[in-house]
């Protein structure tokens, strides 16, 4: 699968990340913050459960449920 990745600053130089399927807009409930493009059309294995570089876990579950996947801040 291919994903577009966005980031936003949190604190102390740490970022949270948002992954959406390539070409899809950021879902309405997630656009209330200033997301900046980080990577476009990132190729990810269809069986991937995590994106460790972006601190995203349960990738297919999150995308299937919400239409996007987001960093778990407690895991950073």
């Amino acid at each position: 699968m291919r994903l577009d990745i966005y980031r936003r600053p949190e604190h102390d130089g740490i970022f949270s990340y948002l992954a959406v399927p390539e070409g899809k807009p950021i879902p309405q409930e997630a656009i209330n913050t200033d997301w900046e493009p980080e990577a476009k059309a990132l190729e990810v294995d269809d069986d991937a459960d995590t994106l460790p570089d972006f601190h995203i876990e349960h990738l297919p579950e999150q995308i299937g449920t919400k239409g996007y996947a987001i960093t778990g801040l407690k895991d950073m």
Side-chain angles (χ1 to χ4, degrees), residues 6-24:
Y6 299 88
R7 74 178 190 171
R8 70 175 179 209
E10 293 297 337
H11 58 80
D12 299 328
I14 295 174
F15 291 90
S16 58
Y17 295 92
L18 177 79
V20 295
E22 179 186 24
K24 299 274 185 174

Side-chain angles (χ1 to χ4, degrees), residues 4 6 8 18-21 23-33 35 62-70:
D4 293 334
Y6 299 88
R8 70 175 179 209
L18 177 79
V20 295
K24 299 274 185 174
I26 296 173
Q28 188 68 32
E29 69 269 16
I31 62 170
N32 62 346
T33 57
W35 292 103
Q62 286 195 67
I63 289 177
T65 302
K66 302 182 284 194
Y68 63 92
I70 194 166

Side-chain angles (χ1 to χ4, degrees), residues 13-74:
I14 295 174
F15 291 90
S16 58
Y17 295 92
L18 177 79
V20 295
E22 179 186 24
K24 299 274 185 174
I26 296 173
Q28 188 68 32
E29 69 269 16
I31 62 170
N32 62 346
T33 57
D34 295 327
W35 292 103
E36 301 172 359
E38 173 73 9
K40 292 287 186 182
L42 178 71
E43 189 68 43
V44 177
D45 188 328
D46 287 341
D47 296 328
D49 187 55
T50 64
L51 296 176
D53 291 345
F54 304 108
H55 308 281
I56 294 175
E57 296 184 355
H58 312 292
L59 178 66
E61 181 182 323
Q62 286 195 67
I63 289 177
T65 302
K66 302 182 284 194
Y68 63 92
I70 194 166
T71 298
L73 292 178
K74 65 180 173 60

